Amino acid sequence: MTRPRILLADNHLEFLKTCAEFLSSSGYEILTASDPSEASRILTEDWVHLAVLDLRLERDYDDKDKSGLILARSVAPAVPKIILTLFPTHRDVREALIRDGDAPRAVDFLDKDDGLRGLLQAVKRALRDHLAVNLDLNIQYNDCAPVSFIQLARFIEPGVEPSRSVSRAEELEDLFRRLFVQESQIRLDRLVWQSNRRFAVGVVAFKMDNTPESYIVVCGKNARTTEELHRNEEFAPGARGDDATVLKRSSFTTHFVANAYSLAHGNVETAGSLRNVFRHGTDGALSSVLETLFQSALARWHQDQIVSKDKTSLDGLYRKRSPFPEARVLSRSLQDRVRSLSKLVYSLGARVDCTQEALFVTVLSRSYTYPDLVSHAVRGFDLEIPSLLKRTPGKLTGDNILTDESGHVWLTDFADAGLAPVLCNHIELESAIRFDWVESTKLDWLHTFEQALVFGDFTKPDTENIEQPLRKPLRAILAIRKHATQSVGWDPVAYHLGVFYEAISRLMEFNPKASLTQKELARLAHALLAAAMTSQYLQDAAKTQPPVRQAASKGLRLDTPNRTVYVDGRRVKLQGKRIEFALLSYLYGHADQVCSRADLISNVWEYTYDESDLSQRRILNTAIRRLREQIEVDPKRPRYIKTARGDGYRLVRRPVD
């Protein structure tokens, strides 16, 4: 049996020692603190079931000292607290027990003169009435694929120091004892997935004389996993269906939250991931799972209709789903990664040379030239594509999609549920197959594979030259694309744009200082090739848009290669300094967003922003004024470059008159 864990805080050291020894001998694990800062540190960094706090933690004979009460209501509100004092007053009792929001500041108020027996009874009452945790729960592990709480805790906090990792593991175990408070035994079946400092684990739970039940338990830090609850509640479809993932219960500790889901008509022990079907199943099995995924599980989320249009550019929406650093950091970081990969790919029988203008690739003595993908990743593409949104369950990885032999499909990760570009789920799943699951290390094969996917017919590319090991992923990708073409508002250019940012996100995850296996290097080189080719495709698409869209349509459009602006169909070639075009490019790349003065000074002029430096404000104001004089009909009443008073400026591509 696990012992209840109690914080005892009192500035009287002899009393603290006596109480700690007594409670410890009564079956409790005791942590002690002799001042508010140490008590606060334990409540914040460690975890306890209950805190017993002296009212006057700093000055015993100062009736104005309420440091224990202040601590009770300001730190770790989820932990029940008992206030202990040698000087009880009616006012202090009332102030301690009054409700503060959803919970009382303290659950009990105790006079020290009540003695150790009184303290013990107060502790027992508090734990009985305010703590739902199954300290007798028998926790078993799957012998075939065991996972430990230390391992699970490290998924959430990978950088935590070893001295604290044991405490975090104990807290995580305690979280499961809270989550399964009514069960007699649970078995951790296996790790289902882990991503972004969260994990999902299969759990089989047993009650006396009841049929075992299975759950997917998703766990992470408090804020992130609590947000998952809210998003699932707000966006999950009302009609659950045969493939529903149903939230059954939730619990939390000081640092962690766990959400337990059941699989409708399913069993965690017999369900496997989509990745597993891809690796070990037949083409028919994979095709069947994809059919159910898109026609059933995702269809209830998507509802085959566009929910809304967004003023943010499609570039911006895709970036949000794979958040990148600000432009200058992104440019430098991505350039470093591309250069590092360029030096490594020779071991795969290829050569890559990068300049500020282009990427040169040599495979099997054949050379190819592609645009500089770094500049496109930073500035985006000059494409006029509507930003159409649908409800989605969040990001799909293939590991967070479960299926079984009966053909059911379940989604298990809802942390990013909400509105997203209409094609995002198709793009994410294709990218997982394309960049994460392909096993080949032959860059010439991968280059041909990417040529077919990027430049070939969207759903029927030429497959004659695709090598056999790449044909299965190709068939899976084409199946996903066929489903994409049935989506309302689908556009192949928008699709490739999303794939571009998926490839860039994988390059950004690469640590240039890390050692790589051949497979890891091949996957990164594959993403690099895909990003380079896709940037060529998108650049060509921007140039070949119908003239009516380029010059005759309403609004503002930027032609970056020719340093030209189209304003309501009127061609404007900017005059003057290059910095003004760079400023316009930055604003255009962040259209419909407020760009602060700090953003503009740091990214366009590359100065360290100093709010007190009036010269920085003057050069920015001058450049904005000159831009308005060239592109606005009435610079005093600007339609395109708006002032956000006190914040900065916002560019509007299509102003509403």
Side-chain angles (χ1 to χ4, degrees):
M1 174 179 172
T2 299
R3 296 199 298 168
R5 189 176 170 99
I6 299 172
L7 166 64
L8 186 60
D10 198 294
N11 63 339
H12 193 290
L13 297 184
E14 190 63 35
F15 178 79
L16 182 65
K17 180 181 178 183
T18 300
C19 289
E21 290 176 350
F22 177 75
L23 291 177
S24 180
S25 66
S26 299
Y28 301 101
E29 181 180 353
I30 305 300
L31 284 70
T32 61
S34 59
D35 58 62
S37 62
E38 178 64 10
S40 178
R41 185 197 65 77
I42 292 173
L43 286 171
T44 304
E45 298 179 10
D46 211 312
W47 67 278
V48 292
H49 292 115
L50 174 70
V52 180
L53 308 174
D54 185 13
L55 177 66
R56 301 179 185 179
L57 266 176
E58 295 179 317
R59 300 174 299 278
D60 280 344
Y61 296 98
D62 182 355
D63 60 3
K64 295 182 180 179
D65 179 14
K66 304 290 179 67
S67 50
L69 183 57
I70 292 171
L71 188 67
R73 66 188 180 209
S74 61
V75 180
V79 176
K81 302 176 181 76
I82 297 173
I83 297 297
L84 187 66
T85 185
L86 190 60
F87 310 97
T89 67
H90 176 74
R91 180 178 179 181
D92 288 338
V93 172
R94 186 181 61 179
E95 188 176 359
L97 299 181
I98 193 171
R99 297 189 70 83
D100 188 6
D102 293 333
R105 297 173 181 178
V107 299
D108 206 347
F109 191 98
L110 190 66
D111 188 339
K112 287 185 179 180
D113 286 339
D114 289 342
L116 295 177
R117 293 294 174 186
L119 174 60
L120 179 60
Q121 293 306 312
V123 166
K124 288 181 177 179
R125 282 196 306 271
L127 292 175
R128 180 195 66 206
D129 298 340
H130 301 281
L131 181 68
V133 58
N134 188 347
L135 298 175
D136 296 317
L137 181 67
N138 182 7
I139 300 178
Q140 300 292 320
Y141 303 90
N142 183 343
D143 293 335
C144 297
V147 290
S148 69
F149 284 111
I150 283 188
Q151 177 189 1
L152 295 175
R154 285 172 180 164
F155 288 144
I156 301 176
E157 294 185 324
V160 69
E161 55 268 30
S163 60
R164 194 177 297 171
S165 62
V166 173
S167 175
R168 288 292 190 266
E170 291 173 344
E171 182 179 357
L172 200 55
E173 178 181 333
D174 190 71
L175 176 62
F176 277 68
R177 294 182 182 279
R178 295 170 188 251
L179 193 65
F180 295 99
V181 68
Q182 298 177 349
E183 278 73 16
S184 59
Q185 177 179 310
I186 62 170
R187 184 175 68 245
L188 302 189
D189 184 64
R190 72 184 189 282
L191 180 70
V192 178
W193 53 260
Q194 63 97 6
S195 174
N196 295 326
R197 301 193 173 191
R198 296 162 58 249
F199 67 80
V201 64
V203 174
V204 181
F206 303 84
K207 283 185 182 178
M208 296 296 292
D209 302 323
N210 281 25
T211 303
E213 296 183 75
S214 66
Y215 299 89
I216 295 290
V217 176
V218 178
C219 186
K221 278 293 191 75
N222 282 8
R224 177 74 165 157
T225 315
T226 301
E227 176 69 11
E228 174 189 329
L229 277 176
H230 298 325
R231 286 182 173 272
N232 191 16
E233 183 179 90
E234 180 179 358
F235 295 104
R240 293 180 174 179
D242 291 341
D243 303 303
T245 309
V246 183
L247 178 66
K248 288 293 187 178
R249 58 183 81 172
S250 183
S251 193
F252 61 91
T253 58
T254 300
H255 300 100
F256 305 132
V257 171
N259 301 324
Y261 298 90
S262 67
L263 308 180
H265 304 287
N267 188 321
V268 167
E269 294 178 285
T270 57
S273 69
L274 179 61
R275 183 199 288 257
N276 191 59
V277 175
F278 174 81
R279 285 181 172 173
H280 306 294
T282 64
D283 279 2
L286 180 59
S287 177
S288 176
V289 172
L290 291 175
E291 182 75 17
T292 303
L293 172 67
F294 286 106
Q295 297 300 325
S296 180
L298 283 174
R300 280 191 293 276
W301 282 82
H302 295 167
Q303 298 176 351
D304 292 327
Q305 61 182 345
I306 295 169
V307 176
S308 70
K309 296 182 180 180
D310 199 287
K311 293 182 179 179
T312 306
S313 68
L314 194 59
D315 262 279
L317 292 174
Y318 283 136
R319 286 170 184 270
K320 286 181 181 178
R321 292 188 72 77
S322 298
F324 298 126
E326 54 92 9
R328 185 169 56 174
V329 175
L330 174 60
S331 177
R332 183 173 61 251
S333 300
L334 186 55
Q335 190 70 56
D336 289 345
R337 285 156 174 75
V338 171
R339 287 174 178 166
S340 295
L341 285 173
S342 299
K343 296 175 183 178
L344 296 174
V345 295
Y346 73 90
S347 65
L348 299 176
R351 177 176 175 178
V352 175
D353 298 297
C354 55
T355 69
Q356 291 187 344
E357 290 77 30
L359 194 76
F360 303 95
V361 178
T362 302
V363 180
L364 293 182
S365 301
R366 297 189 64 180
S367 296
Y368 306 87
T369 302
Y370 301 110
D372 172 37
L373 60 90
V374 176
S375 62
H376 279 140
V378 173
R379 298 175 185 170
F381 295 87
D382 190 20
L383 295 163
E384 295 289 343
I385 306 174
S387 300
L388 307 178
L389 306 181
K390 279 185 175 181
R391 295 177 187 269
T392 79
K395 193 173 182 68
L396 301 185
T397 65
D399 291 316
N400 59 24
I401 301 168
L402 298 184
T403 184
D404 65 7
E405 293 182 353
S406 299
H408 294 295
V409 175
W410 300 276
L411 308 170
T412 63
D413 187 357
F414 308 104
D416 296 311
L419 299 182
V422 294
L423 299 169
C424 68
N425 286 154
H426 301 80
I427 291 165
E428 289 159 358
L429 199 50
E430 171 173 325
S431 298
I433 295 170
R434 194 164 161 182
F435 305 132
D436 304 334
W437 300 356
V438 165
E439 297 289 334
S440 176
T441 60
K442 294 183 178 294
L443 277 199
D444 54 319
W445 291 9
L446 295 172
H447 189 271
T448 303
F449 180 69
E450 284 302 318
Q451 283 182 316
L453 289 173
V454 176
F455 300 115
D457 184 283
F458 187 75
T459 57
K460 294 181 180 179
D462 182 5
T463 61
E464 183 178 351
N465 296 319
I466 304 299
E467 297 293 338
Q468 188 61 38
L470 295 173
R471 295 200 171 197
K472 184 173 184 177
L474 179 65
R475 288 191 291 269
I477 288 170
L478 296 184
I480 293 170
R481 289 186 173 188
K482 286 179 181 177
H483 287 290
T485 61
Q486 300 166 15
S487 178
V488 177
W490 95 280
D491 181 342
V493 177
Y495 196 98
H496 285 297
L497 181 64
V499 172
F500 174 79
Y501 285 113
E502 286 285 333
I504 294 297
S505 70
R506 283 160 173 79
L507 294 176
M508 287 298 294
E509 290 170 359
F510 162 50
N511 179 2
K513 296 181 181 180
S515 299
L516 299 173
T517 66
Q518 287 292 91
K519 282 188 177 181
E520 291 169 338
L521 176 58
R523 287 194 178 106
L524 287 166
H526 184 185
L528 179 64
L529 291 177
M533 291 186 199
T534 308
S535 66
Q536 178 71 68
Y537 172 92
L538 295 169
Q539 181 176 284
D540 293 345
K543 290 179 179 178
T544 57
Q545 284 181 326
V548 66
R549 291 178 66 185
Q550 287 190 343
S553 60
K554 292 288 185 181
L556 183 147
R557 194 182 71 83
L558 194 63
D559 181 356
T560 302
N562 298 311
R563 292 170 53 81
T564 301
V565 183
Y566 290 98
V567 182
D568 291 339
R570 174 174 58 92
R571 186 173 183 270
V572 177
K573 190 172 181 65
L574 291 184
Q575 305 296 320
K577 298 180 180 180
R578 293 179 60 185
I579 199 69
E580 291 166 24
F581 187 80
L583 173 60
L584 182 61
S585 297
Y586 186 86
L587 289 168
Y588 190 84
H590 297 77
D592 301 311
Q593 303 174 40
V594 174
C595 298
S596 68
R597 293 185 179 88
D599 289 337
L600 297 170
I601 291 294
S602 300
N603 291 290
V604 178
W605 280 269
E606 298 188 355
Y607 296 158
T608 299
Y609 180 66
D610 183 353
E611 190 173 2
S612 64
D613 187 348
L614 296 179
S615 66
Q616 292 185 359
R617 183 170 296 218
R618 281 196 294 270
I619 62 172
L620 175 57
N621 291 344
T622 299
I624 291 289
R625 176 176 55 78
R626 288 176 176 169
L627 275 177
R628 284 172 170 167
E629 288 173 349
Q630 296 183 70
I631 68 174
E632 302 282 6
V633 174
D634 183 355
K636 294 182 179 180
R637 295 181 177 82
R639 299 170 63 237
Y640 295 103
I641 301 178
K642 302 281 191 179
T643 300
R645 295 197 179 279
D647 293 318
Y649 298 94
R650 177 171 60 91
L651 184 140
V652 180
R653 292 189 185 185
R654 293 178 179 274
V656 178
D657 294 319

